[in-house]
Amino acid sequence: MGTSTGKAERAESPSSPSLSPSRAADFMRCPLLYRFRVIDKLPEKPSPAATRGTVVHAVLERLFDAPAAERTAPRARAMVPGEWERLLKARPELAELFRGEDGAEDPERLGRWLADAERLVEQWFSLEDPTRLEPAERELYVETRLESGLTLRGYIDRVDVAPSGEVRIVDYKTGKAPAPQYAGDALFQMKFYALVLWRLRGAVPRRLQLVYLGSGDVLTYDPGESDLLAVERKVRALWEAIAEATATGVFLPRQTKLCGWCDHQAHCPEFGGTPPPYPLAAHPAPSGRMGQV
């Protein structure tokens, strides 16, 4: 979700059509990145930022296990080291993030990283009051199948339900709020979740809320049926383009300012690299056409 939270991604391919917001965003950002992640399954190095996001999300999820009066900032900060240890036990390779050039552990680097995570957790208390919240769902896995046969799926950080039955979808971002001209990407993810919940429960969520811990901003959007129908059309067209690219093996690279963060430059033609041999049987595109999204 924005900054990766370490949630497992299930397989996605046109032979078993399913799509998550993360993989949809990959294809829209760079079709070749989608191929590297979904088809080639190239390894990617863990990053301190993404790992911090995983820990922060875990704290904000599990804090609600405590009684309302005990959901305090000091308690949340104190949970950070324990959630890091829990994650490290599940993924021992993450210890490499905090080793020096000589391979030895670097306690100072780890300490700074934990302090950054604690600051992000504390920032949340200036944006929301967890003592006044009782989420209906946390880390909710949702999945629905559209009439086209495509399955949409994903994990929602938090679902709040008002006494009136109105639903609010909340997503935590450990980065900074984007400039207004780039807010559409984040809203696409939220509208994607709203579409899935609408199809599952029959009611359009009342509000979508993005909580940016890195900058202390809260962005909200109230969707309507027309919004979500437009998202459904976009997702359907996007999947058609993915299916065509998968069948033909043509995944075009798209250079953006985010390329500097990509682990796959050695395989990318934009940086003088060569993709690995395409692992699937490829066929020419009908009429030489490539789907656009």
Side-chain angles (χ1 to χ4, degrees):
M1 309 183 175
T3 300
S4 170
T5 59
K7 302 182 183 73
E9 287 285 357
R10 300 187 182 186
E12 293 171 1
S13 70
S15 61
S16 178
S18 67
L19 192 63
S20 69
S22 297
R23 298 293 79 86
D26 285 345
F27 192 85
M28 290 188 291
R29 168 182 156 190
C30 174
L32 187 58
L33 175 64
Y34 176 95
R35 178 198 148 171
F36 287 158
R37 285 180 167 168
V38 176
I39 297 176
D40 298 298
K41 294 180 169 54
L42 298 183
E44 296 183 350
K45 296 178 182 178
S47 74
T51 306
R52 183 171 53 237
T54 302
V55 169
V56 170
H57 275 75
V59 170
L60 300 190
E61 176 192 358
R62 295 195 173 98
L63 184 66
F64 285 104
D65 291 339
E70 298 177 19
R71 298 171 195 162
T72 64
R75 181 188 182 104
R77 287 180 65 109
M79 291 171 65
V80 169
E83 292 302 331
W84 160 239
E85 291 298 328
R86 183 199 298 259
L87 179 61
L88 186 61
K89 185 176 181 180
R91 298 181 59 194
E93 72 276 8
L94 294 177
E96 299 299 321
L97 291 171
F98 307 106
R99 297 188 186 278
E101 293 182 1
D102 60 356
E105 293 184 5
D106 187 338
E108 289 187 6
R109 182 184 298 181
L110 175 59
R112 290 192 299 270
W113 181 86
L114 288 170
D116 285 343
E118 291 172 5
R119 280 193 289 271
L120 289 171
V121 166
E122 190 166 35
Q123 174 79 284
W124 180 52
F125 287 81
S126 69
L127 305 174
E128 295 190 291
D129 181 357
T131 66
R132 298 169 61 88
L133 296 170
E134 292 298 338
E137 306 282 356
R138 290 171 276 154
E139 288 295 309
L140 174 66
Y141 177 76
V142 291
E143 178 179 299
T144 191
R145 187 174 182 179
L146 303 180
E147 291 182 0
S148 63
L150 174 63
T151 295
L152 304 184
R153 56 181 179 74
Y155 286 89
I156 301 175
D157 287 345
R158 198 178 87 218
V159 177
D160 299 332
V161 179
S164 62
E166 293 180 319
V167 171
R168 176 173 64 185
I169 298 175
V170 180
D171 194 71
Y172 307 121
K173 302 292 186 185
T174 50
K176 296 180 179 180
Q181 63 267 34
Y182 300 114
D185 291 343
L187 276 178
F188 170 78
Q189 173 194 5
M190 299 300 282
K191 290 177 182 179
F192 186 108
Y193 292 141
L195 171 62
V196 175
L197 275 190
W198 180 30
R199 293 306 186 206
L200 281 174
R201 301 181 178 181
V204 173
R206 175 68 177 83
R207 173 154 294 179
L208 312 179
Q209 180 165 302
L210 288 154
V211 181
Y212 286 93
L213 304 175
S215 57
D217 294 298
V218 176
L219 304 183
T220 62
Y221 184 83
D222 296 343
E225 287 192 11
S226 60
D227 287 316
L228 303 189
L229 289 172
V231 170
E232 186 169 2
R233 290 192 297 271
K234 180 171 184 174
V235 167
R236 189 165 56 242
L238 179 63
W239 185 255
E240 290 173 357
I242 291 173
E244 187 169 339
T246 302
T248 61
V250 179
F251 288 86
L252 300 177
R254 182 176 298 149
Q255 193 166 4
T256 72
K257 64 179 182 179
L258 297 176
C259 289
W261 300 91
C262 184
D263 283 342
H264 308 304
Q265 289 186 12
H267 296 290
C268 180
E270 295 292 318
F271 294 88
T274 302
Y278 191 58
L280 306 178
H283 308 282
S287 305
R289 180 178 58 83
M290 181 66 187
Q292 298 295 315
V293 294

